[in-house]
Amino acid sequence: MPERRRLFLGIDCSSPWGGVALFDEVKVVGSVCVEGSRHHPFQPVQWIDELLSSLNASPEELAGVGVTKGPGVFTGLRVGLAVAKGLAFSLNIPLYTMTSCEAIARCLPIKGLICSLLDARRGEFYAATYRWNKGVIEPLTEVMLLSKKRVKEMEGKVLFVGPGVTAAEVEGVDLPLPVAALVARYTCDMVKKDKEPDDPSSVLPSYIRLSDAEANRGIQVV
Amino acid sequence: MNESLILGIETSCDDTSVAILRGEREILASVVSSQNELHAPFCGIVPEIAARRHLELILPITQQVLSEAKVNMDQITGIGVTTRPGLVPSLVVGLSFAKALAWSRRIPWVGVDHLEAHIFASFLEGEIEFPFLALVVSGGHTSLFVVKGYGELQLLGETRDDAAGEAFDKVASLLQLGYPGGPVIDKAAKEGDPALFELPRPYMKETWDFSFSGLKTAVVHLVKREGIKPGSPEVNHVAAGFQEAVVDVLVAKTLRAVKELSIPRVVVAGGVAANSRLRRRFEEVAKEESLTIKVPPLSLCGDNGAMVAFVARYRLEMGERSPWHEDVRSRTGY
Ligand SMILES: Nc1ncnc2c1ncn2[C@@H]1O[C@H](COP(=O)(O)OP(=O)(O)O)[C@@H](O)[C@H]1O
């Protein structure tokens, strides 16, 4: 009997471009990247089904699942995490999460300071700065919520990257990035290094922002 | 033949609920986690807060239900999940989670209409002969249906503005009785005289539709005119008067449908079916008019996963399957 393949799934529903990807311990063997809209919301389970079918793979071959946990579009974050939680629980496989800012920065393994930028709407942006050091990515800041003005002030000092670049009107890279593929490879790395996975029953999105109702009333529910 | 074991998932509004149903109507486990205390400071449901809590609870509650039922995922033969109507951010959590479970285990699954689930909640207590009339009164809906068979719903009328439960919630907020309004008005009304203050009955005799916003406005005027202070005994009289008006309208319209359509069977469903006065009046009417009126036990009135599992069971048995790209909808298909 041939040895069973071990596949690692990456899911990203945090930005206007969503996707899923599969990593087979060596390389990305398939990926889907779709632009979401009001009328075509993200359908990660459909994408996963199509991807595995095209590779003649079965759910049992999944050996780990990774997902971006935000910040980003609230509903998208929940779609990604709900699917990842469901898969991790049902298949009894490890779950790893990563902030969307880190996942974006990981797409650009280059020298210098990289600032991931996501559009938080209302003139604000989710941002975090990273630097590669001998093949390892280091966060230099927390994930922050910045005004457009604050983002502008950083221009020239960092390389902006991510789906917030155009809205922030700064120079940078705003292309659909292979975020899901990165998450899939990261998941494989984590499993191989035997890193402690996240607990699927308790892991939650990094929303950064409160709900509007809480923000407006100055109340925070727990 | 092996008996079916259906997992029912319901996250359409502010309650995270999961249940496991064996065969037609044996509830092996059912957990409903209410979020009332989260939304109370806002006197109404905040969709974003509700959706966040659903994601926190969906897996722990599923695990709890499986362990209480002593069932593992391998034994589940079908999954039902509410996909409409409801709050989109909330519905999305349950649907995404359900799809992941169904896909990974190759379990047949189907998206379920929340109103249909409320109506068939009564069947968990035993079958009712078709056709029957169904009055669905909840936080989001006030609708009258003719039900001709499993999944065969024909809408007669619905509210043109506020749902009955919504009216309870708004009036309770006005009287500063707390949230959710249904139970607190129910309680306050027990201490009040429903005939003390005169309130209108929006019978809308020319249609099967309902309207409760005028009644709510009448309560606002009454409270102003009489200078009724929160916490005063008059509050109980207002609560009683308001509740009586709502109940009068719901009962009268249902009875009119019974007579005009010659259908002597009625199912009352939804969160407001928990109202003690409404239950009492329908009980009395059933006796007086020799009707079969079924009001589910309190545990099945509000949102719950068991009613979703019940509908999923017959839909799956009829061969229905939902596609992976199935989406949620804020409105019912009926
Ligand atoms: N005893 C009661 N009397 C009147 N209304 C009630 C009572 N108990 C609950 N409700 C109302 O039921 C509604 C919730 O019902 P539910 O079926 O959970 O709503 P939905 O299906 O629309 O989410 C709320 O508006 C609440 O105030």
Side-chain angles (χ1 to χ4, degrees), chain B:
Chain B
M1 202 190 85
N2 277 338
E3 257 187 319
S4 61
L5 271 180
I6 310 286
L7 185 69
I9 297 176
E10 151 68 50
T11 63
S12 69
C13 194
D14 63 333
D15 297 316
T16 318
S17 356
V18 182
I20 293 174
L21 189 68
R22 176 157 68 195
E24 207 166 337
R25 54 178 63 98
E26 188 190 352
I27 302 171
L28 291 188
S30 174
V31 173
V32 178
S33 174
S34 152
Q35 303 182 356
N36 285 341
E37 75 293 349
L38 284 188
H39 302 281
F42 307 96
C43 291
I45 295 160
V46 180
E48 178 59 25
I49 293 176
R52 289 183 182 197
R53 184 50 67 94
H54 284 308
L55 184 65
E56 274 178 59
L57 295 178
I58 190 72
L59 178 52
I61 288 185
T62 303
Q63 288 170 313
Q64 184 186 343
V65 164
L66 286 164
S67 102
E68 280 178 16
K70 300 194 175 60
V71 163
N72 60 49
M73 281 302 295
D74 284 334
Q75 297 166 277
I76 298 292
T77 61
I79 297 177
V81 57
T82 306
T83 54
R84 63 196 181 273
L87 301 170
V88 166
S90 290
L91 288 163
V92 159
V93 173
L95 176 60
S96 302
F97 181 73
K99 280 182 186 172
L101 296 186
W103 177 81
S104 55
R105 294 276 175 164
R106 302 180 181 84
I107 302 169
W109 74 283
V110 66
V112 168
D113 189 287
H114 183 71
L115 297 187
E116 184 178 338
H118 267 312
I119 292 170
F120 282 92
S122 272
F123 277 59
L124 287 162
E125 295 267 290
E127 219 153 293
I128 295 144
E129 194 189 322
F130 296 111
F132 58 83
L133 291 163
L135 175 70
V136 184
V137 272
S138 71
H141 305 275
T142 304
S143 313
L144 192 57
F145 291 95
V146 182
V147 182
K148 296 180 171 162
Y150 286 103
E152 286 178 56
L153 277 57
Q154 184 199 328
L155 182 68
L156 278 183
E158 61 190 334
T159 182
R160 293 184 178 175
D161 38 63
D162 291 351
E166 198 179 353
F168 270 90
D169 294 337
K170 287 180 178 168
V171 167
S173 158
L174 172 77
L175 299 174
Q176 296 188 24
L177 284 171
Y179 176 86
V184 287
I185 290 204
D186 198 337
K187 194 164 158 237
K190 291 200 166 98
E191 313 294 322
D193 174 0
L196 198 62
F197 298 118
E198 208 165 300
L199 283 165
R201 265 66 176 157
Y203 286 121
M204 313 248 297
K205 287 198 173 119
E206 67 297 347
T207 149
W208 294 118
D209 283 349
F210 299 87
S211 165
F212 291 107
S213 77
L215 173 59
K216 179 196 64 195
T217 311
V219 175
V220 173
H221 290 318
L222 169 70
V223 167
K224 247 202 211 133
R225 195 178 62 231
E226 303 284 331
I228 292 167
K229 298 268 174 312
S232 69
E234 280 72 37
V235 163
N236 296 336
H237 302 314
V238 177
F242 162 76
Q243 174 176 281
E244 201 63 21
V246 174
V247 170
D248 276 350
V249 170
L250 294 175
V251 171
K253 187 146 276 182
T254 308
L255 269 186
R256 182 154 72 82
V258 165
K259 290 186 179 146
E260 282 188 26
L261 305 174
S262 307
I263 302 178
R265 289 169 297 277
V266 177
V267 162
V268 187
V272 181
N275 184 268
S276 62
R277 185 69 190 138
L278 186 71
R279 296 175 83 90
R280 186 62 190 281
R281 285 284 299 283
F282 270 120
E283 242 170 62
E284 289 166 6
V285 164
K287 254 200 212 125
E288 287 160 17
E289 313 267 336
S290 307
L291 308 174
T292 304
I293 300 186
K294 194 84 187 128
V295 189
L298 292 182
S299 62
L300 294 172
C301 284
D303 295 346
N304 65 89
M307 66 186 194
V308 177
F310 183 88
V311 170
R313 194 198 59 86
Y314 68 68
R315 289 199 165 267
L316 289 168
E317 216 153 80
M318 291 191 249
E320 192 176 323
R321 300 288 183 272
S322 290
W324 296 125
H325 63 259
E326 172 111 333
D327 202 4
V328 304
R329 271 181 285 147
S330 60
R331 302 188 58 87
T332 172
Y334 294 108

